[in-house]
Amino acid sequence: MKQYVLIKDTLKGLWKENPVFRQLLGMCPTLAVTNAAVYGLSMGLATAFVLLCTSIIISIFRKVFPYEVRTASFVVIIATFVTIVDLFLKGNYPSISKALGPYIPLIVVNCLILARQEAFASRQPVHSRCPGNGNWFYISLNCSWQHQGTFRFRDYIRVENFKPFGKRRLVPSVVYNAAPCRSVSYTRNNDRCYQYVHG
Amino acid sequence: MSEFLLIFISAILVNNFVLKYFLGICPFIGVSDEVTASLNMGMAVTFVMTFTAPVVWLIHTFILARFNLPFLEYVTDIIVIASLVQLVEMFIKKNSRTLYNTLGIYLPLITTNCAILFSALFLVLRGYNLIQSIIFGFGSGIGFTLAIVIMAGIREELEFADVPQPFKGAAITLLVAGLMALAFMGFAGMPSA
């Protein structure tokens, strides 16, 4: 039974409640740092780590926080883990840390993480569903960010010289990526939508 | 004087937070249904940003830099922002009941607006002084307001447009955002701070 719930939560996070494509949460890093697949992946992993750790901590101490200041307490916990991630990246992967720049500290205010704490972790005991939630949610997050990265990737193969995982300039190509990406996975009628987007 | 003007104008147009740096996209998409609501949201954000800037600057200069505690930067920044938002909420609630009712749920949401945290980090990164920080915070807030109000105006018109079925809802909003970003790229040639 427990296994079943875990799998159900996984699939929900991956497809039905995909944070980026379905719920439109955490759009800022999705648009800003996916100019190369490697940045998308590292940002996804960083966010996933923060999401998982804060989920566990908040779920354990969920009865300690007074209701009025819960948001502030959550945010401070998130900020602590973001500092850990930031220092880790600065120490071990300075080039990635430099490329992502201020978007790493901005994980603190990623509405996806706060929404997840508010809706899930602060109401569930840690042993039953929370690790599953955090864990699988992060995979879905990674998938969507990889997805974004790949979309840009394909555009570059077409229009510019081919440099996978290389550094390239940031183009405000929201038209290019976000809208087709989203409408592809958003609407029920995928095929028809794909035709609309790609002619 | 011209230096302050340059910071102000470039924060509004050239380096617009929403359309250049992809910051504050959540309220930009979520709260841009109608012009009045988005204007209120923009004003609240501008207010918080303008007051966050000097407080963050003072804390950074006189506490974090002096006692060599840079790793506490994110935690202090977010505490400053959250408590300022709380303060603004209490102040408005006590003094102007009508404004409080109009802003409603948007006020607590400002805490998680990434544009505000980014402006706090950015002024430390750029090494602005106190007055420059205030001007930068104010200009960034005005830039956010400008973007969200234009977006709301376009979306009000879109209500009457014949949008194809798969593009309805958030998809067409993102397309509009992309076109606005393209338009704002025109300001990139201007001198900026």
Side-chain angles (χ1 to χ4, degrees):
Chain A
M1 187 60 203
K2 221 171 176 182
Q3 289 295 317
Y4 174 71
V5 170
L6 212 68
I7 292 168
K8 225 173 84 182
D9 275 356
T10 313
L11 291 179
K12 232 202 245 161
L14 198 63
W15 193 252
K16 258 189 175 168
E17 290 179 9
N18 187 304
V20 174
F21 297 132
R22 295 297 301 258
Q23 298 179 329
L24 274 185
L25 294 171
M27 290 304 289
C28 310
T30 310
L31 295 177
V33 300
T34 47
N35 51 339
V38 65
Y39 300 151
L41 181 67
S42 34
M43 191 69 189
L45 284 173
T47 312
F49 172 78
V50 176
L51 183 57
L52 184 63
C53 293
T54 45
S55 285
I56 292 170
I57 297 277
I58 287 171
S59 191
I60 290 172
F61 295 106
R62 68 188 184 286
K63 285 179 185 148
V64 178
F65 305 121
Y67 183 79
E68 289 78 19
V69 291
R70 69 190 188 294
T71 319
S73 340
F74 294 170
V75 160
V76 171
I77 294 171
I78 297 169
T80 316
F81 282 107
V82 170
T83 311
I84 295 172
V85 167
D86 189 46
L87 293 178
F88 174 79
L89 281 179
K90 259 184 199 150
N92 292 300
Y93 303 99
S95 63
I96 287 180
S97 167
K98 209 172 167 201
L100 294 177
Y103 287 99
I104 289 284
L106 287 184
I107 297 175
V108 178
V109 283
N110 193 324
C111 38
L112 195 164
I113 294 179
L114 203 64
R116 223 42 212 170
Q117 307 312 343
E118 183 79 37
F120 211 109
S122 60
R123 290 173 196 173
Q124 308 273 351
V126 67
H127 54 84
S128 69
R129 290 170 78 175
C130 195
N133 161 49
N135 229 331
W136 296 113
F137 215 66
Y138 95 64
I139 295 177
S140 68
L141 189 73
N142 266 328
C143 285
S144 35
W145 282 358
Q146 270 295 325
H147 189 146
Q148 271 275 347
T150 325
F151 254 81
R152 290 213 169 177
F153 199 64
R154 229 174 51 196
D155 288 335
Y156 278 105
I157 296 173
R158 216 174 335 120
V159 293
E160 271 178 60
N161 50 339
F162 177 64
K163 266 195 222 153
F165 289 84
K167 205 183 167 190
R168 45 179 83 91
R169 69 204 161 83
L170 191 75
V171 183
S173 50
V174 191
V175 187
Y176 244 33
N177 306 286
C181 239
R182 250 190 57 72
S183 46
V184 165
S185 48
Y186 192 73
T187 27
R188 266 176 296 167
N189 197 346
N190 275 357
D191 293 340
R192 217 175 98 218
C193 178
Y194 200 74
Q195 277 169 9
Y196 263 107
V197 173
H198 294 275
Chain B
M1 192 60 217
S2 65
E3 175 203 13
F4 295 147
L5 200 67
L6 198 64
I7 290 176
F8 187 64
I9 298 286
S10 79
I12 296 177
L13 295 176
V14 187
N15 295 328
N16 189 295
F17 271 22
V18 179
L19 299 169
K20 174 86 186 287
Y21 292 121
F22 306 109
L23 293 163
I25 300 279
C26 304
F28 180 65
I29 305 250
V31 202
S32 57
D33 288 339
E34 46 177 321
V35 172
T36 35
S38 61
L39 192 63
N40 284 332
M41 178 72 183
M43 274 174 0
V45 167
T46 311
F47 192 77
V48 175
M49 252 185 194
T50 317
F51 281 92
T52 309
V55 177
V56 164
W57 187 86
L58 287 173
I59 287 182
H60 183 84
T61 316
F62 291 112
I63 299 176
L64 298 187
R66 179 170 295 179
F67 299 110
N68 196 18
L69 299 165
F71 58 89
L72 280 180
E73 195 184 343
Y74 307 153
V75 182
T76 48
D77 282 0
I78 200 70
I79 290 174
V80 166
I81 293 169
S83 41
L84 259 175
V85 170
Q86 193 72 43
L87 204 71
V88 168
E89 194 180 340
M90 272 156 35
F91 181 79
I92 293 178
K93 194 176 178 182
K94 189 133 197 316
N95 285 306
S96 163
R97 203 70 207 192
T98 42
L99 187 61
Y100 181 75
N101 288 337
T102 8
L103 287 175
I105 185 145
Y106 308 135
L107 263 175
L109 279 182
I110 296 172
T111 315
T112 52
N113 187 334
C114 46
I116 295 178
L117 182 63
F118 187 81
S119 80
L121 294 167
F122 208 62
L123 60 94
V124 173
L125 213 68
R126 281 267 180 94
Y128 284 151
N129 63 30
L130 185 58
I131 297 166
Q132 282 172 330
S133 308
I134 297 172
I135 287 169
F136 176 72
F138 183 60
S140 311
I142 298 285
F144 179 82
T145 313
L146 182 72
I148 198 171
V149 168
I150 294 175
M151 185 64 166
I154 295 174
R155 277 183 74 176
E156 277 188 355
E157 294 295 316
L158 270 180
E159 291 285 307
F160 305 108
D162 184 22
V163 181
Q165 191 63 36
F167 281 98
K168 284 223 167 94
I172 190 74
T173 313
L174 285 171
L175 279 171
V176 170
L179 291 175
M180 278 174 69
L182 276 178
F184 266 69
M185 261 182 87
F187 291 115
M190 280 168 64
S192 63

